[in-house]
Amino acid sequence: MADEEIEVEGKKKSPLIKIIVIALVAILLLVGTAVGTMFVTGFFDKKDTRAAEEALKTLEQGAADSKAGASEPAPPQKVAKESPELQRFENSYMELEKPLVSNLTNTRKVIQLNLAIMTHYDERVFKNAKKHEFALRSVALDTMRQMTDADLAKPEFRKELAAKIREEMNAVLQKYEDFGGIEEVFFTSFVVQ
């Protein structure tokens, strides 16, 4: 009878042991699959953090420099034009929307022109020019007003006028934004009557 009791108890325990073994095997398979996936995807590989640390140091240095010179913002960076032979800068243009009309000094002649500005820098120059368009138009008109009939006779009149307008516009932007950035001024229309 003792042998029969042992067999009955053994039969009762065997389904419970089978369930525990199957559960343990399933858990081991899941853990093995997860670890294998992590291994294949490179989770355990040593990561090179030097590049990230150098970038962080550069950003921290830039932030420290900007705090030290907080009164003067950094000028915009020139936009490089990709070229295999040499490095050139990208030219960007913006035209003032309305024409400028002014009298010439000591004459009855009127000068009317449309202006476009060119820069090698980023869009901040154009944003600043749009922001201070009234001041830029004012200095351009003052420069045009100072021209005389004798100036019109000079062969380099248009180039000299463009250079003077560029200098005055950059001075205005320098005054209000601490950076000019206008490389050249072009006339898209030019009429003297």
Side-chain angles (χ1 to χ4, degrees), residues 73 75-76 94 96 117-119 121-137 139 165-185:
M94 180 187 90
L96 297 181
I117 58 175
M118 185 268 290
T119 186
Y121 295 95
D122 60 13
E123 289 296 315
R124 285 188 281 178
V125 175
F126 294 145
K127 287 179 185 175
N128 292 340
K130 288 178 184 176
K131 181 178 177 182
H132 302 289
E133 184 174 358
F134 294 116
L136 296 178
R137 291 176 63 81
V139 296
I165 290 173
R166 179 184 57 84
E167 289 172 11
E168 294 297 322
M169 286 181 154
N170 277 330
V172 166
L173 291 177
Q174 183 72 31
K175 177 181 174 184
Y176 294 122
E177 297 293 334
D178 295 327
F179 182 74
I182 297 174
E183 300 290 331
E184 289 189 54
V185 170

Side-chain angles (χ1 to χ4, degrees), residues 81-94:
K81 185 177 187 180
E82 302 215 9
S83 173
E85 298 99 34
L86 56 117
Q87 183 176 1
R88 300 189 83 181
F89 294 106
E90 185 73 33
N91 297 333
S92 300
Y93 300 90
M94 180 187 90

Side-chain angles (χ1 to χ4, degrees), residues 154-167 184-185 187 190:
K154 294 180 186 176
E156 299 292 317
F157 168 70
R158 287 174 51 136
K159 288 182 182 179
E160 289 174 5
L161 179 60
K164 287 179 185 178
I165 290 173
R166 179 184 57 84
E167 289 172 11
E184 289 189 54
V185 170
F187 301 122
F190 193 96

Side-chain angles (χ1 to χ4, degrees), residues 11 13-14 29 35 37 54 57 77 82-83 100 115-116 128 145 162 177 192-193:
K11 287 183 182 178
K13 289 184 180 178
S14 69
L29 278 174
V35 170
T37 303
E54 288 177 19
K57 285 181 184 177
Q77 299 298 316
E82 302 215 9
S83 173
L100 300 167
L115 284 179
N128 292 340
R145 181 186 53 78
E177 297 293 334
V192 177
Q193 294 179 345

Side-chain angles (χ1 to χ4, degrees), residues 2-68:
D3 290 333
E4 288 178 13
E5 288 179 14
I6 293 175
E7 281 183 34
V8 174
E9 285 181 20
K11 287 183 182 178
K12 288 181 182 176
K13 289 184 180 178
S14 69
L16 183 62
I17 291 175
K18 286 182 184 179
I19 292 173
I20 292 173
V21 169
I22 291 173
L24 285 175
V25 169
I27 291 172
L28 286 175
L29 278 174
L30 288 173
V31 169
T33 303
V35 170
T37 303
M38 291 168 65
F39 180 75
V40 169
T41 59
F43 181 78
F44 297 110
D45 293 345
K46 287 186 176 181
K47 293 182 176 49
D48 187 18
T49 59
R50 284 180 279 154
E53 288 174 1
E54 288 177 19
L56 183 61
K57 285 181 184 177
T58 305
L59 289 173
E60 288 173 348
Q61 182 65 32
D65 291 345
S66 67
K67 285 181 182 177

